[in-house]
Amino acid sequence: MMYVLATTNAGEVLKVPMFVEHYMEYHGNLSEFVMEHYDNHKKDADWDADQKLPFINPPIVLTVHAQLPELTFKIQKPKEFKIPQKNSIYQEKDFSNLYLSNIFQPPRLS
């Protein structure tokens, strides 16, 4: 548990009471409070208290910058090509299978 709290942002949850206390002292609504303190916050009279709010300073160890490559897809029209017809000597004809009935006959008794 100590390792998780020390190396991840899970420890920031423990700072939620400080968030509530600081909001109670703030004169305005919640959205204004969040915008003022979490959107490019500038130094003011209570800067030290602002730095104790949760998720203001995440652990540097786990800050990762990842950029996905840009993917582009192009669908091209397939190229048409003709397969040359080969002249073949063999020509297929309709063959009858009637000759097979003469070969296969039941056994004869002698």
Side-chain angles (χ1 to χ4, degrees):
M1 183 70 170
M2 292 295 285
Y3 177 76
V4 171
L5 291 175
T7 59
T8 65
N9 285 342
E12 296 293 312
V13 176
L14 300 175
K15 297 180 181 179
V16 170
M18 181 57 136
F19 178 87
V20 173
E21 182 181 329
H22 198 62
Y23 172 66
M24 297 301 252
E25 296 169 359
Y26 184 74
H27 302 290
N29 61 24
L30 182 63
S31 63
E32 291 173 353
F33 176 79
V34 171
M35 290 297 290
E36 182 179 328
H37 288 86
Y38 288 94
D39 187 29
N40 296 326
H41 184 56
K42 295 180 175 84
K43 280 193 174 184
D44 54 359
D46 63 346
W47 176 256
D48 293 332
D50 294 343
Q51 295 304 307
K52 294 176 185 174
L53 291 173
F55 303 105
I56 290 286
N57 298 317
I60 297 172
V61 176
L62 296 176
T63 303
V64 177
H65 176 72
Q67 183 176 2
L68 297 175
E70 239 181 78
L71 298 175
T72 57
F73 296 100
K74 288 184 180 180
I75 299 176
Q76 297 178 350
K77 184 178 176 182
K79 295 180 182 178
E80 294 182 19
F81 58 92
K82 293 183 180 180
I83 300 174
Q85 298 252 344
K86 294 182 180 178
N87 293 335
S88 174
I89 297 173
Y90 175 76
Q91 292 181 354
E92 211 174 300
K93 297 180 183 177
D94 292 331
F95 289 106
S96 173
N97 62 355
L98 293 177
Y99 69 93
L100 293 175
S101 65
N102 294 332
I103 295 173
F104 300 104
Q105 296 180 359
R108 295 183 187 169
L109 295 172
S110 33

